[in-house]
Amino acid sequence: MATTSTAGTRMNAGAPNQWMLGIRTLLRGAGQVMFQCSSWTGLFFLIGIFWGTYSCHTPEVAWGAAVGLAASTLAGYLVKLPYANGDDGLWGFNGILVGCAFPTFMANNWLMWLCLIFFAMCTTWVRSGFNNLLRQFNTNSFTFPFVFLTWMMLFGTRIFDGLDPTSLSHPSLPEVAGGTLDTGIGNLAVYWLKGISQVFLINDWITGILFLVGLWLSSRWAAIWAAAGSAIALAMAILLKAAPGDIANGLFGFSPVLTAIALGCTFYKVNWKSAIWAVCGIVATVFIQGAMDVIFTPWGLPTLTGPFCVATWLFVLPAYKFSAKDAVDRSEWTKDARREAQLIDNELDKIVEK
């Protein structure tokens, strides 16, 4: 009996602790904003968020990110969604973005925090609903649940006095950009890194470095494509003479960063053909960003990651295959979907060999 008890104790000691599993799920949720199912990536993302927000004296954004991440993950457990998605962090990535956005655009009061928790939780089942609609087209909702719900909330602040949109721009007609941009090497590097940090609405170049480190720990290709996406977007924004302030703050970089990772190494296999496809997607995202800025400026709303969603849908919906081996399931990027995609690839290989 003593031997059996000791063996059982050892087995329990070796089993993952429920608290550790919960922390892993949360960290993966942060990492999945850039398609990475990695606790280490999520940890570096959170470190970057806290560093950037405290540096800018907006700590409420960092804590909003943490609360949003926890609330959306909890919602997945409460409504009993497939646990595999939760374990991969897919319940949390929209919620953490809601947590960053609400304190950024609204006054820091108890009503804002209550709405943050509610809308972060909503992203989890709204994502499931959008995915059910889009799965038949072999694609995914990406960060659109965050975008859609945040737009609705920010629209509502215009008539709710208790929710003060302190940092939201005033509705106005778009104007031609003016001013000058310092294009020194050091400044260009800062603009480039801010394009990466702005994925989480953080305006800090050191945060951009931390995000790249986090990506590198999970996927070197993801880090390379994030860097390339921001660089190409920066070059285009300068060439097209976009608003200098927007360029300097990295506002033309964050959606192309996400598009680059999605097309460059997540939904297509890495090769020279998919690289050309990804570059085309990055270029398209910059133009879509400009068009959506014009559309949303009269409403006084930010585009958020809407340009990334639109551009990636345009490049994923055709289900273009560069070869038989490039047939992948683009409706999800979980481990289960990847295993299923591998089975498809194996069957296609057999057909090709015949």
Side-chain angles (χ1 to χ4, degrees):
M1 286 292 292
T3 304
T4 304
S5 177
T6 302
T9 302
R10 289 176 179 174
M11 289 178 64
N12 291 334
N17 182 279
Q18 290 300 315
W19 283 102
M20 293 303 296
L21 289 175
I23 292 171
R24 185 184 70 177
T25 298
L26 290 171
L27 292 176
R28 284 180 174 180
Q32 287 286 14
V33 173
M34 299 195 204
F35 303 100
Q36 305 307 306
C37 183
S38 167
S39 300
W40 285 107
T41 301
L43 178 61
F44 270 86
F45 284 2
L46 286 173
I47 292 172
I49 291 169
F50 273 85
W51 172 274
T53 55
Y54 272 84
S55 296
C56 297
H57 307 291
T58 54
E60 64 274 10
V61 175
W63 292 108
V67 170
L69 176 61
S72 58
T73 303
L74 176 61
Y77 288 107
L78 293 177
V79 299
K80 299 182 179 180
L81 293 174
Y83 178 73
N85 282 355
D87 188 50
D88 283 340
L90 296 177
W91 294 342
F93 69 96
N94 279 289
I96 192 174
L97 291 174
V98 166
C100 289
F102 278 37
T104 296
F105 297 112
M106 289 185 282
N108 184 13
N109 58 43
W110 70 272
L111 274 174
M112 184 277 294
W113 285 100
L114 189 63
C115 290
L116 186 158
I117 293 170
F118 175 73
F119 277 87
M121 295 182 76
C122 286
T123 62
T124 306
W125 57 78
V126 169
R127 176 181 182 272
S128 293
F130 282 145
N131 282 356
N132 288 340
L133 292 173
L134 294 170
R135 189 170 290 112
Q136 61 185 315
F137 303 109
N138 195 29
T139 190
N140 188 274
S141 61
F142 308 129
T143 59
F144 190 68
F146 146 67
V147 173
F148 176 77
L149 290 172
T150 303
W151 280 342
M152 293 303 101
M153 183 61 189
L154 294 180
F155 263 128
T157 62
R158 300 297 187 185
I159 63 168
F160 297 136
D161 285 341
L163 297 167
D164 183 14
T166 52
S167 300
L168 205 58
S169 62
H170 294 288
S172 62
L173 294 175
E175 299 178 354
V176 177
T180 58
L181 181 72
D182 189 339
T183 54
I185 297 298
N187 287 314
L188 288 175
V190 169
Y191 307 156
W192 164 64
L193 289 168
K194 284 185 176 181
I196 299 168
S197 71
Q198 285 284 7
V199 170
F200 286 89
L201 289 81
I202 308 299
N203 187 18
D204 186 86
W205 64 273
I206 295 178
T207 296
I209 294 175
L210 291 169
F211 287 177
L212 283 176
V213 172
L215 287 170
W216 188 267
L217 292 174
S218 174
S219 167
R220 293 185 178 183
W221 278 114
I224 290 169
W225 274 113
S230 185
I232 294 171
L234 174 60
M236 285 194 62
I238 294 173
L239 178 65
L240 296 171
K241 297 182 180 180
D246 290 348
I247 296 174
N249 290 319
L251 298 182
F252 279 96
F254 62 94
S255 275
V257 164
L258 292 172
T259 302
I261 299 172
L263 300 179
C265 58
T266 302
F267 295 106
Y268 289 97
K269 294 182 178 179
V270 178
N271 56 49
W272 67 271
K273 293 180 181 178
S274 64
I276 294 174
W277 196 244
V279 170
C280 290
I282 294 166
V283 172
T285 306
V286 175
F287 283 107
I288 293 170
Q289 174 78 61
M292 291 186 72
D293 283 344
V294 173
I295 293 169
F296 281 86
T297 297
W299 299 99
L301 287 180
T303 61
L304 306 173
T305 55
F308 147 67
C309 294
V310 173
T312 305
W313 284 331
L314 292 177
F315 281 79
V316 168
L317 279 171
Y320 186 75
K321 302 180 181 70
F322 302 113
S323 69
K325 294 183 178 182
D326 284 326
V328 297
D329 181 359
R330 299 181 179 89
S331 65
E332 196 58 276
W333 61 92
T334 63
K335 290 179 286 186
D336 288 339
R338 288 178 177 175
R339 281 195 292 268
E340 184 178 353
Q342 186 60 53
L343 292 174
I344 296 172
D345 288 348
N346 292 339
E347 292 299 318
L348 287 170
D349 287 343
K350 293 178 182 177
I351 295 172
V352 172
E353 288 173 0
K354 289 180 180 180

